[in-house]
Amino acid sequence: MPRSVNHVASRARRKRILKLTRGYFGARKNVWTVAKNTWEKGLTYAYRDRRTKKRNFRALWIQRINAAARIEGISYSKLMGALAKAGIEINRKVLADLAMNNPQAFKAIVEKVK
């Protein structure tokens, strides 16, 4: 009896991944094994970089807060320590946004903790 192979399912599986690799360079877009490896590697990069993005944004917020705080005559570390001591619970994302878009509000916060 001849061997029965589900060509429809296997071709659909390959087409799905080849569709995801459209736009890649050279064999990465149309050679099955290369495309599959590239796609899998891309998933690992995506997982890693979702975490790296959080790290990068936190560093950016700290730089913005530090720059605005130094204009007000206080360093970042002293400001964050004073905020904690004063019991003001405001996260770095919001503080950086205030420093960039609403300097008067940021100045008021600094004056409150000084």
Side-chain angles (χ1 to χ4, degrees), residues 18 21 24-36 38:
L18 286 170
T21 59
Y24 287 6
F25 181 80
R28 290 169 168 249
K29 69 174 166 280
N30 55 14
V31 176
W32 163 243
T33 52
V34 181
K36 183 170 173 283
T38 304

Side-chain angles (χ1 to χ4, degrees), residues 38-50:
T38 304
W39 172 73
E40 287 174 347
K41 185 77 167 187
L43 292 179
T44 63
Y45 285 144
Y47 178 84
R48 179 196 70 188
D49 291 340
R50 279 195 296 275

Side-chain angles (χ1 to χ4, degrees), residues 64 68 93-106:
R64 287 179 173 175
K93 180 180 178 179
V94 173
L95 207 54
D97 186 55
L98 285 176
M100 289 290 291
N101 300 321
N102 198 343
Q104 292 81 20
F106 185 81

Side-chain angles (χ1 to χ4, degrees), residues 65 80 83 90-99 106 109:
I65 294 166
M80 295 312 282
L83 282 170
I90 185 167
N91 65 16
R92 286 164 181 81
K93 180 180 178 179
V94 173
L95 207 54
D97 186 55
L98 285 176
F106 185 81
I109 291 171

Side-chain angles (χ1 to χ4, degrees), residues 60-111:
L60 176 67
W61 297 331
I62 289 170
Q63 288 168 6
R64 287 179 173 175
I65 294 166
N66 190 26
R70 287 186 186 276
I71 291 170
E72 303 300 328
I74 188 171
S75 71
Y76 168 80
S77 60
K78 291 215 171 40
L79 173 65
M80 295 312 282
L83 282 170
K85 194 176 280 186
I88 299 172
E89 292 183 15
I90 185 167
N91 65 16
R92 286 164 181 81
K93 180 180 178 179
V94 173
L95 207 54
D97 186 55
L98 285 176
M100 289 290 291
N101 300 321
N102 198 343
Q104 292 81 20
F106 185 81
K107 187 174 185 171
I109 291 171
V110 172
E111 292 302 321

